[in-house]
Amino acid sequence: MRLTLFYNESANSNAARYYELAKEGRGKADGLRRAMEETAKELDKARKGRKKDVRRKREKEWYGKFHFSFTSGGKLMLGGRNAQQNDLLFAKHTDDADLFLHADIQGASAVVVKGGAELLASGGAGRQELAEAAQFAASFSKAWVNGNASVDVYAVRKSQVSKHAAGGFVPSGAFAIGGERTWFRDTRLALRIGMGDKGIVLVPEVSAVKLQNPLVLVPSQAGKEKGAIARSLSKRYGVHPDELLELLPNGRTKTLEKP
């Protein structure tokens, strides 16, 4: 270790100079050490948060690009997220055995219940699942954005639905309906969310499916925006907010504790 001494200064002055330099060096070292410790803590927190998010996000099934749910009888319900998806859903994913539903309002999901046509002919046996499908169609419509409490919904078979109308133009996302419709008047807009066997589940409020830690979601102009609701529910259920954004309807939403 080398020291530079200033001969024009006293011994005490030289000693004081090096004392101040040493004190300044210790201060810088302490500050650097504290900064390193804080950085390590932040990195560890970010790493844990990232691992948690990745762990909680589920791999999508093919139908995850649509609005989807299942009836209490296990039938898959699909709804278009926009006009283009409405057309895609009907053209690529609707068979003769399926049931087609639509809320009686401009701006609604085209809803298809896979294997649901049999419900119309099953009498009372299919009433529960039909009510669930109608509420699903009602909830994923412009009526939710408007804050409506209810809306009429109709159901028809695939053979009654067409993209072509005699002498008229059928715009993207809309359909021409022929024949008699089965109506579900004043269908309440409400969904139920909770934990199922494979993670977070969203079903119509009237569904017979049992969920853990459930909440009822209803449209309300005094409710929270979709993003805020997703963040709130993500904390309650420990899932990634993006997963909830994909499940929830557009518009403001209010939550109710299910009795």
Side-chain angles (χ1 to χ4, degrees):
M1 180 178 180
R2 294 184 178 182
L3 298 177
T4 300
L5 299 177
F6 294 86
Y7 292 103
N8 59 338
E9 297 182 10
S10 66
N12 287 338
S13 178
N14 275 283
R17 180 189 302 278
Y18 280 103
Y19 175 77
E20 290 299 325
L21 289 174
K23 185 167 66 172
E24 181 180 344
R26 284 195 301 272
K28 290 181 178 179
D30 289 342
L32 179 61
R33 185 167 52 254
R34 287 193 296 271
M36 291 175 64
E37 289 174 352
E38 289 298 321
T39 300
K41 289 179 182 179
E42 291 298 323
L43 286 172
D44 186 56
K45 184 187 299 183
R47 193 179 300 112
K48 288 180 179 179
R50 185 165 60 250
K51 287 181 178 179
K52 181 178 180 181
D53 287 347
V54 171
R55 183 177 63 251
R56 289 293 187 177
K57 290 182 74 173
R58 294 185 297 177
E59 184 177 348
K60 278 187 180 181
E61 298 289 351
W62 69 267
Y63 48 77
K65 61 186 175 183
F66 299 105
H67 294 304
F68 73 92
S69 186
F70 289 87
T71 68
S72 54
K75 289 181 172 58
L76 175 62
M77 298 183 289
L78 300 171
R81 294 181 182 274
N82 50 47
Q84 291 71 33
Q85 279 204 346
N86 279 352
D87 288 344
L88 174 66
L89 182 58
F90 179 71
K92 301 293 185 182
H93 300 287
T94 305
D95 303 316
D96 291 338
D98 300 338
L99 188 66
F100 181 94
L101 297 95
H102 199 282
D104 192 27
I105 186 173
Q106 185 175 4
S109 289
V111 171
V112 171
V113 182
K114 300 300 293 179
E118 65 179 16
L119 298 175
L120 292 177
S122 61
R127 190 174 301 164
Q128 172 63 35
E129 288 180 274
L130 285 173
E132 294 168 11
Q135 191 170 57
F136 183 78
S139 297
F140 287 101
S141 74
K142 189 66 176 293
W144 193 288
V145 178
N146 295 342
N148 298 120
S150 65
V151 69
D152 292 342
V153 177
Y154 64 82
V156 293
R157 299 175 185 275
K158 181 189 178 184
S159 60
Q160 297 175 250
V161 185
S162 175
K163 287 296 296 181
H164 306 284
F169 171 70
V170 179
S172 176
F175 303 90
I177 308 297
E180 187 177 350
R181 311 180 191 193
T182 299
W183 285 95
F184 302 87
R185 301 291 186 185
D186 294 323
T187 299
R188 181 174 182 247
L189 278 69
L191 298 166
R192 185 155 43 90
I193 193 168
M195 297 303 295
D197 294 337
K198 297 182 180 180
I200 196 74
V201 176
L202 187 74
V203 297
E205 194 270 335
V206 296
S207 174
V209 173
K210 302 298 182 183
L211 301 178
Q212 298 177 21
N213 196 17
L215 278 177
V216 172
L217 310 178
V218 295
S220 172
Q221 295 292 355
K224 295 181 179 179
E225 292 283 3
K226 186 175 180 178
I229 282 289
R231 290 190 294 272
S232 176
L233 294 175
S234 71
K235 295 176 182 178
R236 180 183 177 103
Y237 296 112
V239 299
H240 197 281
D242 288 352
E243 188 173 340
L244 290 156
L245 282 172
E246 294 172 349
L247 289 176
L248 298 171
N250 294 325
R252 290 182 174 271
T253 297
K254 181 170 66 174
T255 58
L256 306 171
E257 293 286 346
K258 184 169 178 61

